[in-house]
Amino acid sequence: MSEYKGAIITGSSRGIGSVTAQILAEQGIGVVINYRSKAPRANKIVAGIQDKGGSAVAVGADLTTAEGPAALVAAAVENFGSLDVLVLNASGGMETNMGENYALRLNRDAQVAMLEAALPALSEGGRVVFVTSHQAHFINEVSTMEAYDAVAKSKRAGEDALRALIPKLAEKNITFVVVSGDMIEGTITATLLNRMEPGAIDARREAAGKLYSVEEFGAEVAKMVFAEVETGHTELVGGAGDFLKASGN
């Protein structure tokens, strides 16, 4: 069983976040399942965790609002006694109905706001994990498909802004880890990209040799919650050979 007691996983009512949450719950960690608007879906994840003897609570919170991050932190402390793990998984920006600069507001500003809201409550020796993509992590060196460019740049801006907080985290011995993966089969992003640029996912699969499923990648994210790595470590899931080669690393 884990020494961690409470965790927040943003964007965890489906996909990678829900898989990560379920695995952490199996390790004995109480998990805050965060959703923006789909309460029934989040409640179903909570019920599934509780049926297996785990602890979970669903909290509706929009991370781009001032009150959203605070609500998640309060839920973790109230329900599980402490906040030890923060998984920054919520992501987006390809939506067309969320207003101007939504990608930056969600992928950079909201990520920083969430971490800053959590920091006073995060336990000494805790862990923060930021989930991103190779397309975003390497965007300054390797261009990506046009439809994903703005999202990739906003996620890299978010990663850079979070990395700037590493010294602040170190004061409480909190480690920060980035988990980067290729396009993930079955995610909304992959589906939207393939719709906008037909053949895009097939092309990535061919270049990478394999694309991870939601379940496989979620397991890798959960693994990095416990991995003994230095703060600031970047875990390149599934390798990133063509990105590393193109970026000259």
Side-chain angles (χ1 to χ4, degrees):
M1 298 295 275
S2 167
E3 63 191 56
Y4 296 140
K5 290 193 294 183
I8 294 168
I9 300 95
T10 63
S12 47
S13 67
R14 66 176 170 206
I16 295 158
S18 73
V19 172
T20 303
Q22 289 170 73
I23 293 171
L24 295 186
E26 287 169 7
Q27 302 284 333
I29 301 174
V31 292
V32 176
I33 303 295
N34 162 233
Y35 65 94
R36 193 180 70 205
S37 58
K38 302 286 195 302
R41 195 164 57 196
N43 290 329
K44 191 175 177 183
I45 301 289
V46 169
I49 287 170
Q50 292 173 340
D51 286 348
K52 291 182 178 178
S55 298
V57 60
V59 178
D62 182 344
L63 300 186
T64 64
T65 65
E67 61 275 10
L72 295 176
V73 174
V77 175
E78 287 167 18
N79 287 278
F80 312 122
S82 73
L83 173 59
D84 310 293
V85 176
L86 172 62
V87 179
L88 295 165
N89 167 74
S91 180
M94 294 188 71
E95 302 88 341
T96 55
N97 61 339
M98 299 301 289
E100 199 177 353
N101 293 327
Y102 180 65
L104 262 180
R105 286 192 292 118
L106 176 60
N107 297 328
R108 182 193 63 191
D109 303 345
Q111 307 299 318
V112 171
M114 184 68 244
L115 179 51
E116 289 185 331
L119 189 52
L122 270 165
S123 304
E124 190 94 17
R127 169 68 51 97
V128 177
V129 177
F130 177 65
V131 182
T132 189
S133 64
H134 296 342
Q135 287 76 12
H137 180 70
F138 290 101
I139 191 62
N140 294 335
E141 299 88 24
V142 185
S143 60
T144 188
M145 53 200 89
E146 190 181 346
Y148 192 65
D149 187 65
V151 174
K153 285 174 177 168
S154 68
K155 284 187 71 66
R156 181 67 223 199
E159 180 182 336
D160 291 342
L162 291 166
R163 285 185 182 278
L165 295 172
I166 288 176
K168 212 173 183 182
L169 295 174
E171 292 171 15
K172 291 179 75 173
N173 195 29
I174 297 164
T175 47
F176 175 79
V177 177
V178 172
V179 182
S180 178
D182 214 314
M183 289 294 168
I184 308 297
E185 301 268 16
T187 58
I188 289 173
T189 298
T191 303
L192 284 173
L193 277 172
N194 221 40
R195 194 176 298 157
M196 294 165 87
E197 296 192 23
I201 300 304
D202 287 340
R204 270 312 308 154
R205 192 184 298 111
E206 191 174 334
K210 166 193 166 69
L211 293 183
Y212 276 54
S213 68
V214 168
E215 289 73 23
E216 289 170 328
F217 188 64
E220 294 296 323
V221 173
K223 199 183 293 181
M224 294 313 296
V225 167
F226 307 102
E228 292 189 22
V229 292
E230 294 290 317
T231 192
H233 170 79
T234 302
E235 184 72 8
L236 299 172
V237 175
D242 56 336
F243 288 94
L244 290 164
K245 191 175 177 182
S247 66
N249 291 324

